[in-house]
Amino acid sequence: MMRMCLTGLAFGMGVLTIFASPPLYRTFCQATSYDGTVTRRERVEEKIARHDSNQTVTSREIVVQFNADISDGMPWKFLPTQREVRVKPGESALAFYTVENQSSTPITGVSTYNVTPMKVLTTEEYSILYNRIYFNKIQCFCFEEQRLLPGEKIDMPVFFYIDPEIEDDPKMNGINNIILSYTFFKDKVSEE
Amino acid sequence: MSSGGAFGGNRGLRPVPPEKGVFPLDHMHLCDLDKKEYLNCLKTAGNKSEICRGFSKKYLQCRMEKNLMAKQDLAELGFKESNAESPAGKTTERIGDQEQ
């Protein structure tokens, strides 16, 4: 049983460093089906319900700050709407970005995101944080084309959740600041 | 979602899409009022998310009402009515089913 679970972990995540982290291992194995199929990632509702029934208490305040970039030649004004959001792990939180098409033609953009802590991490630490084990994007505006008419200005929400398990992981000690970065690229595929 | 793979991200790690997918854009500004109330709350609350949870919830409820977000019990996403009232009974049951 345990062997299958470990196999599921390595296959599903491709990050061997997970084995070194007992709380993560426990969490992940609970979500694994025992017939050896590929691991299913625990959904955020499941995490929330589990921590709720465990009455998990978190104390670390994490300051989430925001970065907004556009690619060259992208005539959009793109900014975070708020400077920062202070959140405790286990609290789902909302943030916004404001986007404005400053050109005279409709433009379609696609965005991608990045999460970095304000601390130099080893590659291993970075991959743990970056692999959204702790930082879960529940819903946002990224990864699909977004079309703005000339002069249109819209606020785009990001709804996210930081896993309480971050407080148990010694590798995440001292991570109190996270920067969420989005970059908008002009979508070359869709022509107006 | 094919464009997701086109971006290598930092250090060659591929970004993963959000769990529930994309928020449709609020082109008609239907939920702007709720959004403004939330943002104003943040300004007066030292940007503490915990203090402004009621406004976050209202904003998401607005989205659901206007079909800008899939309808779901917000208690499942961490917005409970009060500390005393807990949906743990219902959701724990569901998790139990999935573990079988």
Side-chain angles (χ1 to χ4, degrees):
Chain A
M1 197 79 73
M2 185 127 118
R3 191 193 189 86
M4 277 173 146
C5 187
L6 280 171
T7 307
L9 267 176
F11 188 67
M13 296 297 298
V15 177
L16 293 175
T17 52
I18 287 179
F19 299 165
S21 174
L24 252 188
Y25 167 78
R26 220 178 22 246
T27 303
F28 222 85
C29 283
Q30 282 165 14
T32 305
S33 58
Y34 291 138
D35 61 357
T37 53
V38 174
T39 301
R40 179 179 64 77
R41 184 189 297 273
E42 189 186 26
R43 290 183 300 123
V44 72
E45 289 97 328
E46 289 164 341
K47 285 185 192 177
I48 287 172
R50 179 163 54 80
H51 288 294
D52 187 50
S53 66
N54 290 344
Q55 299 188 308
T56 307
V57 175
T58 56
S59 55
R60 193 187 304 189
E61 182 182 78
I62 296 187
V63 182
V64 182
Q65 291 172 310
F66 307 93
N67 197 43
D69 283 321
I70 47 175
S71 60
D72 283 346
M74 181 59 161
W76 280 11
K77 187 171 166 189
F78 181 44
L79 296 167
T81 317
Q82 66 291 302
R83 194 166 45 88
E84 66 185 27
V85 176
R86 292 171 179 257
V87 60
K88 290 216 186 77
E91 288 172 5
S92 52
L94 189 60
F96 289 89
Y97 282 81
T98 306
V99 168
E100 184 179 356
N101 180 359
Q102 296 183 312
S103 78
S104 53
T105 58
I107 303 270
T108 303
V110 184
S111 70
T112 185
Y113 85 99
N114 197 359
V115 176
T116 49
M118 278 170 60
K119 168 187 145 168
V120 176
L121 294 185
T122 63
T123 305
E124 181 195 20
E125 290 166 333
Y126 181 83
S127 71
I128 290 174
L129 184 64
Y130 188 81
N131 279 332
R132 295 129 353 259
I133 293 167
Y134 297 123
F135 188 95
N136 304 128
K137 270 198 337 302
I138 304 172
Q139 200 157 3
C140 69
F141 53 86
C142 47
F143 297 101
E144 285 199 1
E145 297 86 9
Q146 305 289 1
R147 183 174 177 271
L148 262 61
L149 295 172
E152 191 174 6
K153 184 177 179 183
I154 293 194
D155 291 311
M156 300 183 168
V158 181
F159 186 40
F160 62 92
Y161 171 86
I162 299 178
D163 197 321
E165 311 260 334
I166 200 173
E167 292 195 357
D168 297 332
D169 190 342
K171 288 193 170 60
M172 296 288 112
N173 274 353
I175 296 206
N176 297 303
N177 283 272
I178 290 177
I179 303 176
L180 179 61
S181 294
Y182 278 91
T183 304
F184 256 111
F185 299 82
K186 191 166 183 211
D187 188 44
K188 292 180 172 53
V189 175
S190 53
E191 296 295 309
E192 300 302 335
Chain B
M1 293 266 185
S2 58
S3 46
F7 303 112
N10 264 6
R11 309 187 198 197
L13 295 168
R14 205 181 330 150
V16 164
E19 276 196 34
K20 295 189 169 306
V22 162
F23 270 135
L25 294 193
D26 185 5
H27 286 284
M28 306 300 290
H29 301 272
L30 301 170
C31 294
D32 264 17
L33 189 58
D34 295 293
K35 173 207 72 183
K36 281 186 185 128
E37 284 183 348
Y38 170 68
L39 291 170
N40 285 337
C41 174
L42 277 188
K43 281 184 197 146
T44 61
N47 294 315
K48 284 190 199 292
S49 167
E50 191 174 15
I51 296 174
C52 301
R53 287 188 75 61
F55 292 109
S56 304
K57 185 179 181 184
K58 273 187 64 186
Y59 175 78
L60 296 173
Q61 279 170 329
C62 174
R63 274 201 161 247
M64 288 183 191
E65 279 160 27
K66 313 289 185 206
N67 287 321
L68 293 170
M69 182 176 181
K71 290 183 175 57
Q72 168 174 20
D73 183 358
L74 280 168
E76 292 174 7
L77 292 172
F79 295 97
K80 291 193 283 296
E81 290 303 322
S82 68
N83 286 336
E85 184 189 328
S86 168
K90 180 174 101 180
T91 46
T92 305
E93 217 175 305
R94 190 145 48 93
I95 286 175
D97 284 343
Q98 283 166 333
E99 269 177 349
Q100 296 311 316

